[in-house]
């Protein structure tokens, strides 16, 4: 009986720890999402681009969440400009960080009766590809750009 209580307590502690770590990770990933602005970008192509236009035109995607996704893409552009990746491997590191931030929004989409599904995936993927090309990475592979995606 004592073993059962011990195992149950250990399992509950593990579950609680998992959710605390997940929450901390999600909050840290998204902490900078809302602190960026398109005016911080130097690339004219990017500044004139309408990010996530397909998602914006579809009421299935809550506007405030599309705004968060756009902020992640803007932050990616700023990171590219600041870090100036010299090759695809360096670019992919930056895009993978942005992709993980998109992944972290998944539960918020669910909570708002939406999800990052086929239409959103294509819209987001198209924007990642546009960003890569705008920064002269014309041979970037779209699937590699967003490789760690959950959507």
């Amino acid at each position: 009986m004592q073993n059962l209580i011990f195992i149950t307590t250990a399992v509950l502690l593990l579950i609680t720890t998992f959710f605390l770590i997940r929450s901390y990770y999600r909050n840290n990933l998204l902490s900078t999402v809302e602190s960026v602005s398109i005016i911080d970008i130097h690339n004219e192509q990017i500044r004139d681009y309408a990010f996530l236009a397909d998602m914006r035109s579809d009421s299935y995607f809550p506007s405030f969440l599309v705004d968060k996704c756009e902020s992640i893409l803007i932050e990616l552009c700023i990171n590219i400009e600041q870090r100036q990746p010299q090759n695809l491997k360096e670019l992919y590191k930056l895009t993978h960080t942005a992709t993980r931030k998109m992944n972290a929004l998944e539960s918020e989409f669910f909570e708002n009766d939406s999800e990052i599904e086929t239409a959103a995936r294509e819209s987001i993927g198209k924007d990642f590809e546009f960003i890569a090309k705008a920064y002269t990475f014309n041979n970037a592979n779209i699937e590699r750009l967003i490789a760690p995606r959950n959507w």
Side-chain angles (χ1 to χ4, degrees), residues 9-107:
T9 304
V11 168
L12 288 173
L13 281 171
L14 283 172
I15 291 170
T16 303
T17 303
F18 168 78
F19 283 107
L20 286 172
I21 290 171
R22 190 176 105 185
S23 175
Y24 175 79
Y25 177 70
R26 182 178 299 138
N27 289 338
N28 277 346
L29 274 178
L30 297 175
S31 64
T32 61
V33 166
E34 295 171 32
S35 64
V36 296
S37 170
I38 195 80
I39 62 171
D40 296 327
I41 295 175
H42 301 291
N43 185 307
E44 291 288 326
Q45 267 186 294
I46 297 291
R47 278 201 300 198
D48 295 337
Y49 185 72
F51 286 106
L52 307 169
D54 298 333
M55 290 176 72
R56 289 208 182 280
S57 66
D58 188 338
S59 62
Y60 178 67
F61 305 109
S63 295
F64 78 97
L65 289 174
V66 177
D67 291 344
K68 286 184 178 186
C69 291
E70 180 178 11
S71 292
I72 291 168
L73 294 172
I74 291 169
E75 182 181 47
L76 170 61
C77 295
I78 292 168
N79 285 335
I80 291 170
E81 290 182 3
Q82 289 176 347
R83 297 199 174 115
Q84 299 180 351
Q86 299 300 304
N87 54 49
L88 285 174
K89 184 178 179 180
E90 292 176 10
L91 176 68
Y92 291 148
K93 282 183 183 180
L94 298 175
T95 63
H96 290 177
T97 298
T99 301
R100 287 184 187 95
K101 289 181 180 189
M102 293 281 187
N103 289 345
L105 291 175
E106 204 167 32
S107 62

